[in-house]
Amino acid sequence: MAEIWLDFERPIVELERHIEELRIIGTQGEFEVKEEIERLEKKAVKLRKEVYTNLTPWQRVQLSRHPRRPYTLDYIKEITDEFVELHGDRYFGDDAAIVAGLGRMGGRSLIIIGHQKGRSTSEKVERNFGMPHPEGYRKALRVMQMAAKFGKPILSLVDTPGAYPGIGAEERGQAEAIARNLREISILPVPIIVVITGEGGSGGALAIAVGDRVFMMQYAIYSVISPEGCASILWRDAAKASEAAEALKLTARDLLKFGIIDGIIEEPVGGAHRNPGEAARRVKEVVLNSLEDLNPHSPEELVRRRIEKFSKMGVYKE
Amino acid sequence: MPIFGKPKYTVVKVSRKKTMPEGLWTKCEDCGEIVYNKVLEENFRVCPKCQYHFILTASQRIALLTDGSSFKAFEDGLRSLDPLKFKGPKGSYPEKLKEDQILTNLEEAALCGRARLEGKKIVLGVTDSRFMMGSMGSVVGEKVTRAIECATAESLPLIIVSGSGGGARMQEGMLSLMQMVKTSAALAKHDDAKLPFISVLTNPTMAGVMASFASLGDVILAEPKALIGFTGPRVIEQTIHQRLPQGFQRSEFLLEHGFVDRVVHRKALKSMLAQLLDYFGGTKGKKS
Ligand SMILES: [Zn+2]
């Protein structure tokens, strides 16, 4: 796990390691390394700038799926003072691909839900790679409706390749679960803040991504279909995923332009995984500010504005 | 066994090797039976042998379900644009739209309007799965949403007949996906006004359409053997590396698992809708 880096990250990571080694040597006091460190640090700054200012959409897809990227429970740990996880949809089971619970953050209590990916092989399997079954969406809705009952705001952290494509998922109504969430969440009378932290995989992401303020992390993606899926349908070749990623306009900047999201949360240089604590701090700040902004609105006003916001989405000629 | 008594027509078996005169016969996509086109038309485009329901165009669907020429389409003039300047492997999105407009004689994959069904005033939306696989882009989402809003504003019952293999339309990216929220939120308001919505699922209703308005009916009806679900069967097979069971994601499968209220033969669809509208009451249009 520790050695997983993307191709375009590797030269930077190697350079940083080299600098770190020199520092250690420097502390031993036998060699003069100060100048060399300064030279290499300048080089690293330049290299980072080169790589990260011109990321292609496909490189952003790779960053959004980075195996070291912070996941929902990592964010929760950083941003809350306390978190009590709740389990189960009350119909069928508990889906570990979605976590839900009660949390305290900056003196407020709120409900937090989110997709959860696994890091070790066994946890990946347990979390089903962050791909929920209907139970996950029903659990999320149950807990969100509880938030409404007790007047608590909701934070939803979105990071999934998509809703799970399987026999059981279809038997238990994957489509119905997603549809119901869209209808019910759109009228929940409490503030809802959504942050797309990694992969916003189509309907499987959208099912918990309806909110009053929707943000994307700088290197998150949000797409109607996976680039691989799009490539295999249109190009008849999944290997054309990078072209599909380009065509789908799935980056945070594109989606801000189309009015799909309300803002972008800048990530630490190199991405959230290079400094998860700082990434989480920025998420927390944005969430608290947004809750402050939404505070004056009555529940009816919140719902009216939310529906109006989504009703305006779309581009057409009349 | 035929559901509606003995068919009054003859089914002619023709060796498949013989060439058939164009436009006289149609081969059943399900059982392979060769059926006279005239017979097929008289039978609501349902195979007399196996009851396979052929896909209807939007205008055939409207003719099937509405009284005379009562259907009045909303003249919204909504047209799709190419906001993503979508770069696919071949042909532009506007070219594809134009192609399907010529093929279907429709402006877009959905057609909505006011109509009467056995005398009752309704708002009706239909999708045409020949138009970009009935997929939902900004225009389809907007048309469906306006239909819902019209029904809510005028206190009319709403019927939407879905037929979409495509779900959310790729060529409009996330703008398409957001139509799922838009339509579902409009239905929340319709629901709040205590007005009925009957969703009719036809072959095929998948992905973003099924995961939004099509799943949200007070009553959900499906035509027999229609493919209905979230993920397409091919993708599921590739994911789980096994063959799917016979009848998987067909109407009868959804009935068995509790996701549709009734599977209704096309011949009985209009009268079933009328019967349901009677129960919901207070929605009978004034005689005009
Ligand atoms: Zn047949």
Side-chain angles (χ1 to χ4, degrees):
Chain A
M1 206 307 287
E3 292 303 316
I4 305 167
W5 298 101
L6 303 172
D7 285 345
F8 58 87
E9 292 182 303
R10 201 161 292 130
I12 298 169
V13 173
E14 275 164 14
L15 188 57
E16 286 170 354
R17 280 212 186 126
H18 188 52
I19 294 169
E20 196 51 38
E21 280 163 15
L22 282 178
R23 281 222 175 85
I24 292 165
I25 291 167
T27 58
Q28 289 159 354
E30 282 179 46
F31 303 95
E32 189 45 65
V33 292
K34 198 165 159 269
E35 266 175 44
E36 179 65 359
I37 288 176
E38 273 173 17
R39 192 184 68 81
L40 290 178
E41 281 197 325
K42 267 186 200 147
K43 195 178 161 190
V45 168
K46 191 162 162 269
L47 192 57
R48 281 190 206 106
K49 204 176 162 197
E50 268 169 28
V51 171
Y52 290 103
T53 47
N54 295 307
L55 287 175
T56 65
W58 179 243
Q59 285 174 322
R60 286 169 187 265
V61 171
Q62 290 175 297
L63 274 176
S64 77
R65 297 171 177 171
H66 201 294
R68 306 170 74 107
R69 204 165 169 81
Y71 298 147
T72 292
L73 285 173
D74 302 317
Y75 279 108
I76 289 176
K77 202 174 158 201
E78 289 284 339
I79 64 179
T80 62
D81 308 317
E82 184 185 290
F83 181 66
V84 181
E85 192 177 346
L86 302 173
H87 294 274
D89 69 344
R90 301 288 192 270
Y91 296 109
F92 182 82
D94 183 44
D95 187 346
I98 286 189
V99 295
L102 308 148
R104 278 189 205 283
M105 181 175 89
R108 285 173 177 272
S109 63
L110 75 170
I111 290 288
I112 307 178
I113 59 167
H115 300 94
Q116 183 63 37
K117 292 178 175 176
R119 222 171 282 281
S120 68
T121 305
S122 65
E123 204 201 348
K124 277 179 181 153
V125 172
E126 187 200 323
R127 302 287 184 184
N128 200 33
F129 302 88
M131 292 187 282
H133 283 75
E135 300 78 78
Y137 298 118
R138 292 184 181 128
K139 170 170 68 176
L141 182 61
R142 175 178 78 84
V143 176
M144 290 171 92
Q145 285 177 330
M146 189 171 70
K149 177 176 172 182
F150 296 108
K152 305 288 180 201
I154 297 164
L155 168 62
S156 180
L157 301 171
V158 175
D159 184 16
T160 179
Y164 185 65
I167 292 178
E170 293 291 323
E171 283 175 338
R172 302 195 293 277
Q174 191 74 287
E176 191 273 348
I178 295 171
R180 179 180 298 268
N181 277 23
L182 299 181
R183 185 182 67 191
E184 299 305 323
I185 297 170
S186 70
I187 52 169
L188 281 183
V190 287
I192 307 171
I193 315 294
V194 177
V195 182
I196 320 287
T197 59
E199 283 182 278
S202 193
L206 187 64
I208 59 165
V210 174
D212 303 300
R213 296 282 188 277
V214 180
F215 298 95
M216 278 176 79
M217 298 302 285
Q218 185 181 5
Y219 300 128
I221 59 152
Y222 199 3
S223 185
V224 65
I225 184 170
S226 72
E228 291 87 344
C230 178
S232 68
I233 293 171
L234 290 184
W235 279 262
R236 308 210 165 274
D237 179 4
K240 298 277 193 238
S242 65
E243 270 131 299
E246 192 99 31
L248 285 165
K249 302 282 189 286
L250 42 64
T251 70
R253 208 181 303 163
D254 288 321
L255 297 171
L256 185 64
K257 195 181 86 188
F258 287 124
I260 304 291
I261 58 166
D262 301 296
I264 299 172
I265 302 175
E266 295 281 319
E267 295 188 26
V269 177
H273 60 291
R274 304 300 303 277
N275 190 346
E278 174 59 18
R281 197 194 59 74
R282 294 181 190 184
V283 168
K284 183 175 179 174
E285 188 183 316
V286 166
V287 171
L288 289 174
N289 287 343
S290 300
L291 289 177
E292 205 58 46
D293 283 352
L294 294 169
N295 213 27
H297 300 313
S298 68
E300 297 75 27
E301 183 70 3
L302 271 178
V303 171
R304 192 186 64 73
R305 283 170 181 252
R306 189 185 306 145
I307 294 180
E308 194 179 278
K309 172 174 119 106
F310 282 93
S311 296
K312 280 187 188 147
M313 292 183 190
V315 173
Y316 46 77
K317 189 169 70 181
E318 216 165 333
Chain B
M1 200 188 75
I3 306 170
F4 293 88
K6 213 172 176 185
K8 294 184 197 81
Y9 30 75
T10 22
V11 176
V12 186
K13 292 210 179 195
V14 185
S15 156
R16 279 178 207 181
K17 277 170 195 158
K18 278 186 190 165
T19 52
M20 289 175 288
E22 279 281 316
L24 269 180
W25 317 85
T26 300
K27 189 175 157 191
C28 174
E29 288 166 34
D30 201 38
C31 71
E33 188 78 4
I34 306 294
V35 192
Y36 261 124
N37 278 350
K38 195 165 164 285
V39 169
L40 200 56
E41 293 309 320
E42 283 167 0
N43 203 36
F44 305 91
R45 297 192 62 78
V46 175
C47 171
K49 192 188 175 200
C50 74
Q51 305 303 320
Y52 174 77
H53 284 49
F54 284 76
I55 287 169
L56 294 188
T57 67
S59 55
Q60 285 169 337
R61 178 64 64 182
I62 289 164
L64 175 81
L65 296 181
T66 60
D67 302 347
S69 55
S70 66
F71 181 81
K72 299 283 180 280
F74 298 128
E75 283 177 26
D76 51 31
L78 292 170
R79 292 295 184 104
S80 292
L81 295 170
D82 186 14
L84 272 55
K85 307 262 177 298
F86 192 86
K87 281 197 194 75
K90 54 180 179 193
S92 71
Y93 176 41
E95 278 163 12
K96 178 69 182 145
L97 286 168
K98 188 159 260 174
E99 226 172 77
D100 285 4
Q101 280 162 350
I102 292 165
L103 171 84
T104 60
N105 204 24
L106 288 170
E107 282 173 23
E108 252 296 340
L111 192 54
C112 304
R114 293 182 189 84
R116 281 182 186 273
L117 189 156
E118 294 197 357
K120 297 166 187 64
K121 270 187 170 177
I122 57 163
V123 171
L124 177 67
V126 299
T127 53
D128 193 312
S129 62
R130 298 170 307 158
F131 195 110
M132 294 203 74
M133 294 173 75
S135 60
M136 176 161 62
S138 298
V139 168
V140 171
E142 184 65 21
K143 276 177 177 283
V144 169
T145 302
R146 289 187 190 183
I148 299 165
E149 287 171 348
C150 169
T152 312
E154 296 176 16
S155 296
L156 290 172
L158 170 72
I159 297 173
I160 301 178
V161 185
S162 302
S164 168
R169 189 176 294 171
M170 277 184 289
Q171 289 84 348
E172 290 183 35
M174 284 300 292
L175 292 163
S176 298
L177 198 75
M178 290 303 157
Q179 306 309 312
M180 294 168 64
V181 185
K182 190 197 269 192
T183 53
S184 302
L187 282 172
K189 289 205 222 168
H190 191 70
D191 205 46
D192 197 41
K194 309 222 180 305
L195 292 162
F197 165 41
I198 303 172
S199 175
V200 180
L201 312 178
T202 70
N203 190 31
T205 303
M206 301 296 292
V209 168
M210 190 57 193
S212 61
F213 62 87
S215 275
L216 296 173
D218 295 298
V219 175
I220 302 177
L221 305 177
E223 287 196 335
K225 293 184 187 174
L227 183 72
I228 303 166
F230 182 64
T231 312
R234 228 171 352 130
V235 174
I236 297 178
E237 283 188 340
Q238 282 163 8
T239 308
I240 64 175
H241 305 292
Q242 65 185 81
R243 302 287 295 172
L244 293 169
Q246 186 76 22
F248 184 71
Q249 293 181 317
R250 297 288 163 179
S251 306
E252 298 72 16
F253 170 95
L254 273 92
L255 182 70
E256 190 190 325
H257 287 95
F259 291 99
V260 304
D261 288 283
R262 299 180 73 87
V263 176
V264 184
H265 192 286
R266 192 172 284 163
K267 267 185 197 175
L269 188 56
K270 187 177 181 181
S271 59
M272 172 56 68
L273 287 168
Q275 198 181 354
L276 289 171
L277 292 178
D278 268 343
Y279 278 99
F280 295 126
T283 50
K284 206 157 187 164
K286 289 187 202 90
K287 291 256 156 53
S288 57

